[in-house]
PDB file of all heavy atoms in Angstrom:
ATOM      1  N   ALA A 396      96.370 101.777  96.943  1.00 96.00           N
ATOM      2  CA  ALA A 396      95.406 102.837  96.707  1.00 96.00           C
ATOM      3  C   ALA A 396      96.004 104.183  96.228  1.00 96.00           C
ATOM      4  O   ALA A 396      95.709 104.768  95.389  1.00 96.00           O
ATOM      5  CB  ALA A 396      94.417 103.012  97.804  1.00 96.00           C
ATOM      6  N   GLY A 397      97.065 104.540  96.994  1.00 95.00           N
ATOM      7  CA  GLY A 397      97.788 105.732  96.646  1.00 95.00           C
ATOM      8  C   GLY A 397      98.541 105.651  95.291  1.00 95.00           C
ATOM      9  O   GLY A 397      98.526 106.626  94.498  1.00 95.00           O
ATOM     10  N   TRP A 398      99.077 104.543  94.987  1.00 96.00           N
ATOM     11  CA  TRP A 398      99.728 104.265  93.738  1.00 96.00           C
ATOM     12  C   TRP A 398      98.636 104.350  92.638  1.00 96.00           C
ATOM     13  O   TRP A 398      99.063 104.979  91.593  1.00 96.00           O
ATOM     14  CB  TRP A 398     100.459 102.879  93.812  1.00 96.00           C
ATOM     15  CG  TRP A 398     101.247 102.598  92.663  1.00 96.00           C
ATOM     16  CD1 TRP A 398     101.499 103.268  91.440  1.00 96.00           C
ATOM     17  CD2 TRP A 398     102.213 101.445  92.663  1.00 96.00           C
ATOM     18  NE1 TRP A 398     102.459 102.615  90.709  1.00 96.00           N
ATOM     19  CE2 TRP A 398     102.940 101.514  91.343  1.00 96.00           C
ATOM     20  CE3 TRP A 398     102.449 100.384  93.573  1.00 96.00           C
ATOM     21  CZ2 TRP A 398     103.887 100.409  91.064  1.00 96.00           C
ATOM     22  CZ3 TRP A 398     103.315  99.320  93.207  1.00 96.00           C
ATOM     23  CH2 TRP A 398     104.033  99.422  91.897  1.00 96.00           C
ATOM     24  N   LEU A 399      97.638 103.717  92.812  1.00 95.00           N
ATOM     25  CA  LEU A 399      96.698 103.763  91.696  1.00 95.00           C
ATOM     26  C   LEU A 399      96.033 105.160  91.500  1.00 95.00           C
ATOM     27  O   LEU A 399      95.838 105.660  90.333  1.00 95.00           O
ATOM     28  CB  LEU A 399      95.422 102.739  92.042  1.00 95.00           C
ATOM     29  CG  LEU A 399      94.431 102.378  90.927  1.00 95.00           C
ATOM     30  CD1 LEU A 399      95.193 101.660  89.858  1.00 95.00           C
ATOM     31  CD2 LEU A 399      93.375 101.455  91.495  1.00 95.00           C
ATOM     32  N   THR A 400      95.792 105.889  92.642  1.00 94.00           N
ATOM     33  CA  THR A 400      95.327 107.242  92.434  1.00 94.00           C
ATOM     34  C   THR A 400      96.364 108.174  91.929  1.00 94.00           C
ATOM     35  O   THR A 400      96.043 108.995  90.967  1.00 94.00           O
ATOM     36  CB  THR A 400      94.875 107.775  93.847  1.00 94.00           C
ATOM     37  OG1 THR A 400      93.876 106.842  94.406  1.00 94.00           O
ATOM     38  CG2 THR A 400      94.310 109.161  93.755  1.00 94.00           C
ATOM     39  N   GLY A 401      97.557 108.130  92.322  1.00 92.00           N
ATOM     40  CA  GLY A 401      98.574 108.914  91.618  1.00 92.00           C
ATOM     41  C   GLY A 401      98.788 108.638  90.246  1.00 92.00           C
ATOM     42  O   GLY A 401      99.058 109.532  89.378  1.00 92.00           O
ATOM     43  N   ARG A 402      98.755 107.303  89.928  1.00 92.00           N
ATOM     44  CA  ARG A 402      98.996 106.917  88.494  1.00 92.00           C
ATOM     45  C   ARG A 402      97.727 107.456  87.606  1.00 92.00           C
ATOM     46  O   ARG A 402      98.062 107.970  86.454  1.00 92.00           O
ATOM     47  CB  ARG A 402      99.060 105.472  88.469  1.00 92.00           C
ATOM     48  CG  ARG A 402      99.326 104.796  87.036  1.00 92.00           C
ATOM     49  CD  ARG A 402      99.329 103.323  87.094  1.00 92.00           C
ATOM     50  NE  ARG A 402      99.466 102.849  85.725  1.00 92.00           N
ATOM     51  CZ  ARG A 402     100.562 102.766  85.037  1.00 92.00           C
ATOM     52  NH1 ARG A 402     101.709 103.258  85.577  1.00 92.00           N
ATOM     53  NH2 ARG A 402     100.717 102.192  83.750  1.00 92.00           N
ATOM     54  N   SER A 403      96.585 107.438  88.140  1.00 89.00           N
ATOM     55  CA  SER A 403      95.422 108.030  87.312  1.00 89.00           C
ATOM     56  C   SER A 403      95.513 109.487  87.179  1.00 89.00           C
ATOM     57  O   SER A 403      94.993 110.108  86.232  1.00 89.00           O
ATOM     58  CB  SER A 403      94.120 107.718  88.004  1.00 89.00           C
ATOM     59  OG  SER A 403      93.959 108.497  89.280  1.00 89.00           O
ATOM     60  N   ALA A 404      96.344 110.181  88.000  1.00 85.00           N
ATOM     61  CA  ALA A 404      96.557 111.695  87.926  1.00 85.00           C
ATOM     62  C   ALA A 404      97.724 112.004  87.082  1.00 85.00           C
ATOM     63  O   ALA A 404      98.004 113.261  86.911  1.00 85.00           O
ATOM     64  CB  ALA A 404      96.534 112.244  89.227  1.00 85.00           C
ATOM     65  N   LEU A 405      98.476 111.117  86.522  1.00 78.00           N
ATOM     66  CA  LEU A 405      99.651 111.397  85.958  1.00 78.00           C
ATOM     67  C   LEU A 405      99.617 112.305  84.741  1.00 78.00           C
ATOM     68  O   LEU A 405     100.423 113.102  84.323  1.00 78.00           O
ATOM     69  CB  LEU A 405     100.513 110.159  85.483  1.00 78.00           C
ATOM     70  CG  LEU A 405     101.262 109.451  86.681  1.00 78.00           C
ATOM     71  CD1 LEU A 405     101.851 108.091  86.118  1.00 78.00           C
ATOM     72  CD2 LEU A 405     102.383 110.263  87.152  1.00 78.00           C
ATOM     73  N   SER A 406      98.476 112.164  84.003  1.00 68.00           N
ATOM     74  CA  SER A 406      98.182 112.979  82.818  1.00 68.00           C
ATOM     75  C   SER A 406      97.882 114.387  83.156  1.00 68.00           C
ATOM     76  O   SER A 406      97.875 115.243  82.230  1.00 68.00           O
ATOM     77  CB  SER A 406      97.009 112.373  82.021  1.00 68.00           C
ATOM     78  OG  SER A 406      95.839 112.231  82.810  1.00 68.00           O
ATOM     79  N   ALA A 407      97.536 114.718  84.383  1.00 64.00           N
ATOM     80  CA  ALA A 407      97.193 116.070  84.703  1.00 64.00           C
ATOM     81  C   ALA A 407      98.492 116.883  84.907  1.00 64.00           C
ATOM     82  O   ALA A 407      99.539 116.400  85.381  1.00 64.00           O
ATOM     83  CB  ALA A 407      96.385 116.144  86.118  1.00 64.00           C
ATOM     84  N   ARG A 408      98.417 118.165  84.404  1.00 58.00           N
ATOM     85  CA  ARG A 408      99.641 118.904  84.305  1.00 58.00           C
ATOM     86  C   ARG A 408      99.947 119.427  85.764  1.00 58.00           C
ATOM     87  O   ARG A 408     101.194 119.532  86.009  1.00 58.00           O
ATOM     88  CB  ARG A 408      99.534 120.069  83.405  1.00 58.00           C
ATOM     89  CG  ARG A 408      99.306 119.831  82.005  1.00 58.00           C
ATOM     90  CD  ARG A 408      99.268 121.028  81.125  1.00 58.00           C
ATOM     91  NE  ARG A 408      99.209 120.757  79.693  1.00 58.00           N
ATOM     92  CZ  ARG A 408      99.232 121.689  78.815  1.00 58.00           C
ATOM     93  NH1 ARG A 408      99.199 122.863  79.077  1.00 58.00           N
ATOM     94  NH2 ARG A 408      99.234 121.246  77.444  1.00 58.00           N
ATOM     95  N   ALA A 409      98.999 119.629  86.551  1.00 56.00           N
ATOM     96  CA  ALA A 409      99.269 120.156  87.996  1.00 56.00           C
ATOM     97  C   ALA A 409      98.271 119.584  88.869  1.00 56.00           C
ATOM     98  O   ALA A 409      97.113 119.388  88.413  1.00 56.00           O
ATOM     99  CB  ALA A 409      99.283 121.628  88.032  1.00 56.00           C
ATOM    100  N   PRO A 410      98.491 119.394  90.105  1.00 56.00           N
ATOM    101  CA  PRO A 410      97.383 119.011  90.989  1.00 56.00           C
ATOM    102  C   PRO A 410      96.352 120.117  91.184  1.00 56.00           C
ATOM    103  O   PRO A 410      96.657 121.187  90.783  1.00 56.00           O
ATOM    104  CB  PRO A 410      98.186 118.801  92.326  1.00 56.00           C
ATOM    105  CG  PRO A 410      99.628 118.762  92.023  1.00 56.00           C
ATOM    106  CD  PRO A 410      99.784 119.580  90.800  1.00 56.00           C
TER     107      PRO A 410
END
Side-chain angles (χ1 to χ4, degrees):
W398 188 349
L399 194 60
T400 304
R402 182 177 176 82
S403 70
L405 282 174
S406 58
R408 293 187 177 183

